[in-house]
Amino acid sequence: MAKSVREELHLQLHRNTATRLVEQVAAELARLIEAGQLRSGERLPSVRQLAQSHDIGASTVVEAYEQLVARGLLQARRGAGFFVAARATQAGARAVFTPHEPAIDSAWLLSQMFADDRVPIKAGAGWLPGKWLNDEGLHQAERRIIRSPGLQQVAYGHPFGYAPLRQQIAQFLGHWALELSIDQVLTTHGATQALDLVVRTMTQPGDTVMIDDPGYCNLIAMLRLAGLNVIGVPRIPGGVDAEALDVLARQHRPKLFFTTSVLQNPTGTSYTPACAMRVLQAAERHGFWVVEDDIFRELGQPTDPMLAALDGLQRVIYVGSFSKTIAPSLRVGFVACQPELARQIVHTKMILTLTNSEINERLVHNVLTEGHHRRHVQTLNATLLNAQSTLNARLAEVGLIPFTAPRGGMFTWATLADSKLSAREIADRARQKGIWLAPGDFFRLNTPEQASFRFNVGFADVPELFEFFRTL
């Protein structure tokens, strides 16, 4: 039962601004509710009354009311109108995820880091600063998508993915001399799903796989979750230790070897041509597949070898993504492989998730083809290389030893020599100072002897970080 009926409201609306009237009406009503000037249970003016009193369209009022219903600030009652919702409902609508006091471990890194805003200095983050991404290209693509026919936006996509985007991917890979047809490319919900689909399609619990060590922490967790026997291949500044790879492959007979050829996460290292050839020779000799996780390809050097191109996709399964150069929110990745294997992976994909979001894939295609993406990548590469060079020098000044010379990309891997504290103990102390570090333990299969860390060059160049390590 309504406590009262509000016949008239005075909303502050401005017609000569870029903000739509709908958004202004909704914001003004929300302000009055938050201030207590509109009380719980109070009925708002009818749509016609509010429209007439402010000389705006009825449809504008309806849309604003419906926005506030969706946010839990109003309730719609059939035949009676719109009412201010109870305070408990409003509080629930405004609630956000608030993690417990964080313990800096791999579980927090995997499940809570995107929602935890209490650590202001994110030196160990796994993403780029938003200002470094191609936001303008994405906004232009969004505007073009809005103008496209509605039927192109509401239906299921193709099982293999949006065909023009797949064609663009094939063209992109052709720049590295990887010739392939469109039926060898399938899109995925980011590179993470691509890796998961490969695992589900090609392995069974108990199988053995190899992985870079140190390697991508999400992949390590994914492989263990699948019940696989995971063997680490030592990562070196020029790629992987090819001799150790050969010995381990002969001993364990793995089905797959997951590796990153360019600007690897976490070490920031890339394969030399010699290393690439030796890895492919070992795969042929021991009969395992190489899964090339190559999401940083555009951030690397033109001369960096691509395993898939050298092999012609005979024993290589190629995984890519657009999260590092366009936006991680789009969650668009892809797999390139032999045609028959592509059909098997698509079958797995359809069982698990059906098709991907074609709207997102159209957005990526628009960004790639609108004419500014190449220059954006060039600017980003220069920014990353300069930031990495600066960060490496400053880390060295406070006792950290970078793993390799600057090559560009997002990450620097550095070790604190002669530390009596473990990397996790140091990370916990850093958290108490408002600094989020990514300890090397997260990226290793076994506990390392030395304290190493992955640093994000876009977030780590801050005085507080260097002062923290200086005091250690």
Side-chain angles (χ1 to χ4, degrees), residues 8 72 133 175 180 185 210 322 355 357 390 400 413 416 436 440:
E8 186 176 353
L133 294 171
H175 294 321
L180 74 169
V185 179
M210 297 189 300
F322 301 99
T355 65
S357 168
T390 301
L400 287 147
W413 179 262
L416 189 63
W436 165 26

Side-chain angles (χ1 to χ4, degrees), residues 110-126:
L110 290 171
S111 62
Q112 295 186 14
M113 64 174 178
F114 298 113
D116 198 334
D117 293 325
R118 291 167 299 163
V119 186
I121 301 174
K122 296 177 172 58

Side-chain angles (χ1 to χ4, degrees), residues 423-434:
R424 292 196 183 201
E425 290 171 329
I426 294 172
D428 191 58
R429 291 190 181 189
R431 179 189 56 76
Q432 297 173 26
K433 301 288 187 180

Side-chain angles (χ1 to χ4, degrees), residues 38 149 238 272:
L38 286 172
T272 63

